[in-house]
Amino acid sequence: MDERAIAKELSANDAGETGGHQAGILVPKEPDLLSFFPRLDASQYNPRAHIIFTDEAGGQWEFAFIYYNNALFGKTRNEYRLTRMTKYIRQSGLVSGDHIEMKKSADGNYYINFRRKNSLEYTEGKALRLSSGWRVIDI
């Protein structure tokens, strides 16, 4: 497996600035983006995978990647979300317009860092821009 990276420009909702309650950051159903995360079994009700990300300072953060597939079980939701990120976002002082960047190493370890909205520092490599402020970066 090659090293891969994805990035997300945080919306006001993602950064908790709207006061609304949401279950994490929406992950579009784009195959290139979903392939970054562990595969989830859609035959299970709301399957999830807990992923440990390491930040630039060596701190570890446990996020949950969830497929809310209630629509397959007679309800309405049918979406992927990355949850349990509120503490990371708050402790990092992130606001809308800032970017989170997540990397998956060739050995399967996950890493996270952020870039301020007025910073032009982004991961080198070919980027594919996706909906909702997401990018897939092949490095």
Side-chain angles (χ1 to χ4, degrees):
M1 173 191 321
D2 293 331
E3 189 171 286
R4 301 227 29 219
I6 61 174
K8 168 73 165 91
E9 180 179 340
L10 296 177
S11 68
N13 223 15
D14 297 334
E17 297 168 7
T18 63
H21 173 73
Q22 68 175 14
I25 296 175
L26 181 68
V27 179
K29 293 178 192 166
E30 301 280 348
D32 285 337
L33 186 58
L34 293 176
S35 69
F36 175 84
F37 297 101
R39 186 169 171 80
L40 300 176
D41 182 358
S43 70
Q44 295 180 1
Y45 183 75
N46 294 342
R48 68 196 65 217
H50 292 264
I51 310 168
I52 303 296
F53 283 84
T54 303
D55 66 22
E56 291 177 318
Q60 294 195 323
W61 304 87
E62 182 179 337
F63 304 147
F65 177 59
I66 303 172
Y67 177 32
Y68 288 107
N69 62 354
N70 307 15
L72 303 175
F73 296 89
K75 297 187 181 175
T76 59
R77 287 180 84 180
N78 184 18
E79 62 193 22
Y80 289 91
R81 292 210 173 247
L82 191 57
T83 67
R84 303 187 69 191
M85 297 188 73
T86 302
K87 186 174 180 182
Y88 175 79
I89 289 170
R90 286 187 181 152
Q91 286 189 3
S92 301
L94 301 178
V95 298
S96 60
D98 289 344
H99 292 250
I100 54 170
E101 189 173 274
M102 295 169 271
K103 294 180 186 178
K104 183 177 178 183
S105 67
D107 59 5
N109 291 315
Y110 288 87
Y111 300 90
I112 189 165
N113 61 39
F114 62 87
R115 303 286 180 239
R116 299 288 177 199
K117 61 183 164 186
N118 49 0
S119 169
L120 297 178
E121 300 174 35
Y122 293 104
T123 298
E124 299 281 331
K126 183 180 176 183
L128 171 64
R129 290 197 177 278
L130 301 172
S131 59
S132 304
W134 284 94
R135 292 182 296 131
V136 173
I137 306 164
D138 288 319
I139 51 178

